[in-house]
Amino acid sequence: MPSMTRRAALGAVTGFAGSVAGCAGLLEEESFPIQRSWQTGVRAPSSVAMTAGGQLLTGSHSPFRDRPIVAGLDDQTGEISWDVTIAKGEKSPLGVGDGRAYAISKAETMVAVDAATGESVWQRPLEPIDAADPGVVEFAPLPLGDRIVVPISGTEDDVPDRLVGVDRADAETLFTHPLPASLSGAPGVTSGGVVAPLVNGRVRLLDRAGEAEWTRDIGTPLSAVGATDGTAYLGAATEELLALEIATGTVTWRGSLANTVFTRPLVTDDRVYVGGADYTLRAFDAASSQQVWRDDLGNAVTHGPMQVGDRLVTLVGGTHRIRGSSGTVPFSPTVLYVHEQDGTRVREVRLDDKSLEAGSVEWAQTAGETVYLGQTFGLTRVAPEAITDA
């Protein structure tokens, strides 16, 4: 089993003081297209996450051994207080629940880390994934009550596609559910279990025991799942937004789009927001299925929309691995958009300058109602006022 080390600090990291509106602090405002609080030197960051206790976490999808699979950051300065490394191999985004961070690696290892201290709770092997394509670790582990569901699914026929359920306390395997095809997007967790979208056009609900409750054939690859307790929302290459009743898998309504969807729909109390490969951001009424508004953007939506306070943040362009046969993403331009929830566009920022500090912007994500940008050679915290005061 690969060894695990915990280091007190990461010497290569550059921690910067936070900035305030109209002042760049230790960061030169002119050097970056949008106001930043800080930027760290975590190379190839995999994701960000915030625990309920306020601990900011990140990781790296880099295969190198000295890149952290999980690291704890000071959310105000970006300084790394602890990090965890394992053997060489690409790493997944982070799953967070009950004060712990979970991740898997192509080093055939899954880890559970105490998010407050960085101490190892447990680690266990996951086989076989070492020789699989990098897509096998594309999706984060999913907390589901007293268990963690691990999506293991590549983009090639080099690994058995499956969902593995392990006990949250001690990592004992509770179930292994084989999938008939690769995942086409990130699964969604609901009180009923896990909703898994597949590249063969089917979507499946697994209960907590790993048994299939139902399978529905939509006929085309599906996006990541946005879910409430009663309904799952998915974009489809049939150029539709689908609402599925979780109890039965019945399609309750279809919203018209003009292309497929690469991202997870955002679900609020009465709206479903979806960004498409048709260069468009749309809002639908969750009850009636009627389109409420749309805004035409400058590229395919690859990340978001995400809710930050009472605003929506969306990234077009950037980096996105396409699964199935939905086509390719034109990567330029990369633009960050800020909208009011009524569809009013309040800001757009181009981020496709190759001379950007820390390299090109590959993704955008929210944690603790703050926007973070994953870059080739660093993680950037966008100053909150750059979103809220836009």
Side-chain angles (χ1 to χ4, degrees), residues 220-377:
T220 187
L222 302 155
S223 74
V225 179
T228 63
D229 283 344
T231 307
Y233 299 91
L234 307 91
T238 51
E239 302 184 350
E240 295 173 301
L241 174 65
L242 305 177
L244 274 68
E245 184 180 62
I246 290 175
T248 64
T250 302
V251 177
T252 57
W253 58 258
R254 301 171 182 263
S256 179
L257 308 175
N259 206 323
T260 191
V261 174
F262 298 130
T263 66
R264 188 190 305 274
L266 171 64
V267 186
T268 65
D269 290 340
D270 58 353
R271 294 282 185 271
V272 183
Y273 303 94
V274 61
D278 58 0
Y279 293 30
T280 302
L281 179 64
R282 289 179 167 88
F284 289 85
D285 183 277
S288 70
S289 79
Q290 296 301 305
Q291 180 175 291
V292 179
W293 56 260
R294 61 172 284 174
D295 188 26
D296 296 329
L297 310 181
N299 201 345
V301 175
T302 53
H303 299 86
M306 300 160 278
Q307 188 169 3
V308 181
D310 58 359
R311 290 191 166 168
L312 307 173
V313 177
T314 307
L315 184 75
V316 305
T319 297
H320 183 74
R321 185 193 306 274
I322 303 171
R323 304 173 75 92
S325 57
S326 297
T328 59
V329 175
F331 293 99
S332 183
T334 300
V335 185
L336 190 75
Y337 291 90
V338 181
H339 287 82
E340 301 284 5
Q341 292 189 40
D342 64 3
T344 302
R345 185 192 301 182
V346 295
R347 188 166 194 181
E348 60 181 278
V349 182
R350 288 182 69 101
L351 300 169
D352 58 351
D353 185 353
K354 299 301 182 184
S355 66
L356 287 175
E357 297 173 34
S360 61
V361 173
E362 298 185 347
W363 52 260
Q365 196 175 348
T366 58
E369 294 198 349
T370 302
V371 178
Y372 296 84
L373 303 175
Q375 296 180 252
T376 309
F377 306 110

Side-chain angles (χ1 to χ4, degrees), residues 4-6 70 72 82-84 112-121:
M4 178 179 289
T5 63
R6 177 176 180 268
V70 187
W82 55 262
D83 74 343
V84 173
V113 177
D114 185 300
T117 66
E119 297 293 342
S120 172
V121 178

